Amino acid sequence: MNKFLLMMILTFVIFGTYLINQNDLSSMIKQEIITEPIRNKEIKNDEKVLKIIYPFQESVFDTRNRYQWEVLEAAMEETKEEGQYELIPSKVKMSEAREIVEVSKKNGLLTVLRQANLKGLEDSMLPIKIPLLKGTLGWRVFLIRKETQKLLDKEVTSLEKLKTIRHGTGTSWADNPILRGNGFAVTEGSNYDGLFSMLESGRFQVLPRGINECLKELNERKKNSPDIVLEKKIILRYKLFDFFWVNKKNVKLANRIERGLLKIRENGIMDNIFNKYFENDMLPLGLYGRTIYDISSEKFTFPIKNPPEEYLMESYLRKKQRCWMLDCKSVCKQCPEKCWQLACKKLCVSCRNYGKLNKAK
């Protein structure tokens, strides 16, 4: 009897285990049927995400292009009904020359870059001809060593004298051919951080920087390079615009970026981003009190036909109507009249006459 009961119990356990295993197997099969399409869907969706790879910054101090990538993100957001996207920084640090190569070639490491409107680039890349920086890259002030200011005050009395002062520039930078083509003394550097070291060591006397970038660069380096300062009296000006560029065959992406940029220009998002990054950096430069030296860039850049005023720095300054020459940096409410509301009672230079004050011949 005991043996019979034992056999019954063993049979029940074995059969029960079999049923449980069958149920587990059935559940696993059902689960596989349920989850497999989800995995396929994820892969399918991932394939539809437009991956846009942009250049990684050249160094920890290099914050020059953060504005452009935020503008690009805003433009893509405005067109997100056209498809999902993901902005990805490149894994490799590159010079500007390398960036151009990577965007130009098939299956390159970059999808998009920002670059000036230099002649010849259209042969290998496709530009989206909407200026990103209001031409500020063509408004150059100088970073110098402290002792150089006295030399410049004494020696630079004309454009021809300014040309004899040695200027530093990156080998692949847009201003390199413009400066050389206008007869300036130029010393090239192969990388971004190295140019500041070259300035400190006296390899050249001035490092021209856009009015949108110079103060950030100065503040980022003041602890390690206290001898580098901002030159006080000169603006070197020429026409130079900054665009997004993509591979020539990537017309679909170019068109989408263009549509997005036009939207954020119209709804004010682009100006808001510009103000966030640059307005407070340009105010302390004392633009109205500087002597402006104009040079030509026509031989080296392709033109923008009849650019809208909002693309130009002059228009931006007029809208701001600020007393750029005054130390107090107060807003002028009666431009071009006297700023009687200011305690200093100094004259407000007319915003409408920007560029005429102290303009050198």
Side-chain angles (χ1 to χ4, degrees):
M1 184 69 178
N2 289 338
K3 289 183 179 180
F4 177 75
L5 286 173
L6 182 61
M7 289 295 295
M8 289 291 291
I9 292 169
L10 288 173
T11 302
F12 178 78
V13 170
I14 293 170
F15 183 70
T17 303
Y18 171 78
L19 288 176
I20 291 171
N21 288 339
Q22 289 298 306
N23 287 335
D24 287 347
L25 180 60
S26 178
S27 297
M28 289 173 64
I29 292 171
K30 288 180 180 178
Q31 183 69 19
E32 190 69 20
I33 292 172
I34 292 171
T35 57
E36 187 62 29
I38 293 176
R39 287 203 297 269
N40 285 338
K41 185 177 181 182
E42 288 173 356
I43 294 170
K44 189 175 181 181
N45 280 348
D46 187 59
E47 289 173 352
K48 288 183 178 180
V49 172
L50 177 61
K51 296 185 183 295
I52 302 173
I53 304 173
Y54 62 90
F56 188 71
Q57 61 194 45
E58 286 190 37
S59 76
V60 293
F61 292 117
D62 185 7
T63 60
R64 290 172 293 171
N65 300 324
R66 289 182 182 177
Y67 159 78
Q68 285 93 325
W69 307 135
E70 187 167 334
V71 167
L72 179 60
E73 183 177 21
M76 296 302 294
E77 275 296 301
E78 286 294 318
T79 57
K80 60 185 177 183
E81 72 279 357
E82 298 181 31
Q84 299 181 61
Y85 72 93
E86 184 179 3
L87 294 179
I88 306 169
S90 65
K91 296 180 180 179
V92 181
K93 297 177 183 179
M94 307 179 194
S95 67
E96 291 189 11
R98 171 79 184 280
E99 291 173 8
I100 293 169
V101 170
E102 293 300 333
V103 169
S104 301
K105 69 183 183 181
K106 184 179 180 181
N107 299 322
L109 297 178
L110 296 177
T111 312
V112 64
L113 58 77
R114 46 95 357 229
Q115 186 54 263
N117 56 322
L118 291 178
K119 285 183 178 178
L121 291 184
E122 285 183 292
D123 296 338
S124 58
M125 297 187 297
L126 182 63
I128 295 92
K129 295 183 180 180
I130 297 179
L132 304 173
L133 286 166
K134 302 182 186 297
T136 55
L137 286 182
W139 293 57
R140 295 277 170 166
V141 292
F142 301 142
L143 296 183
I144 60 173
R145 287 171 294 150
K146 288 179 181 178
E147 64 267 24
T148 306
Q149 186 68 58
K150 291 182 179 180
L151 171 69
L152 297 177
D153 291 346
K154 180 181 178 181
E155 298 293 333
V156 180
T157 56
S158 67
L159 177 59
E160 292 306 312
K161 292 284 188 179
L162 180 60
K163 290 180 181 181
T164 65
I165 300 297
R166 187 153 291 277
H167 292 58
T169 182
T171 302
S172 56
W173 288 7
D175 54 341
N176 192 352
I178 295 172
L179 292 175
R180 288 188 178 279
N182 279 277
F184 282 76
V186 172
T187 296
E188 296 179 11
S190 59
N191 70 78
Y192 176 63
D193 283 336
L195 283 164
F196 295 90
S197 299
M198 292 170 69
L199 174 61
E200 283 187 291
S201 64
R203 296 280 301 280
F204 47 79
Q205 293 156 304
V206 300
L207 180 60
R209 307 304 296 135
I211 60 174
N212 60 301
E213 57 194 357
C214 59
L215 283 187
K216 276 191 177 69
E217 293 174 332
L218 196 62
N219 291 331
E220 288 163 354
R221 290 167 174 79
K222 63 183 178 182
K223 183 177 180 180
N224 296 325
S225 304
D227 192 47
I228 296 180
V229 297
L230 179 68
E231 196 280 330
K232 299 176 181 178
K233 298 182 179 180
I234 296 171
I235 292 177
L236 179 62
R237 186 171 64 175
Y238 44 89
K239 291 182 180 179
L240 189 66
F241 295 102
D242 207 42
F243 296 151
F244 288 129
W245 297 73
V246 299
N247 187 278
K248 291 198 74 158
K249 294 184 178 180
N250 208 345
V251 178
K252 185 176 180 180
L253 176 59
N255 290 338
R256 177 173 174 177
I257 293 174
E258 181 177 15
R259 285 190 291 271
L261 290 176
L262 290 173
K263 286 183 178 181
I264 64 173
R265 189 195 75 184
E266 292 298 323
N267 62 24
I269 291 176
M270 194 169 183
D271 273 346
N272 290 340
I273 300 173
F274 186 90
N275 289 334
K276 182 179 82 171
Y277 277 89
F278 304 127
E279 182 178 16
N280 291 332
D281 286 339
M282 292 190 294
L283 278 173
L285 297 181
L287 298 181
Y288 272 122
R290 292 172 176 266
T291 299
I292 300 171
Y293 294 97
D294 283 319
I295 61 175
S296 174
S297 61
E298 291 181 3
K299 292 182 180 179
F300 315 98
T301 60
F302 56 82
I304 304 175
K305 295 181 180 179
N306 303 317
E309 277 216 352
E310 58 264 35
Y311 289 165
L312 305 176
M313 192 61 194
E314 291 87 342
S315 173
Y316 177 80
L317 294 180
R318 282 198 297 271
K319 288 179 181 178
K320 289 297 172 184
Q321 291 193 348
R322 292 186 182 272
C323 298
W324 297 83
M325 68 177 292
L326 301 178
D327 292 336
C328 56
K329 306 298 182 300
S330 299
V331 174
C332 173
K333 297 178 180 178
Q334 302 179 31
C335 186
E337 304 297 329
K338 292 181 179 180
C339 295
W340 295 110
Q341 76 274 21
L342 300 178
C344 58
K345 298 293 189 297
K346 291 184 180 180
L347 290 178
C348 171
V349 178
S350 169
C351 296
R352 297 180 183 86
N353 290 327
Y354 189 84
K356 294 182 180 179
L357 178 72
N358 289 340
K359 184 174 179 180
K361 296 181 179 180

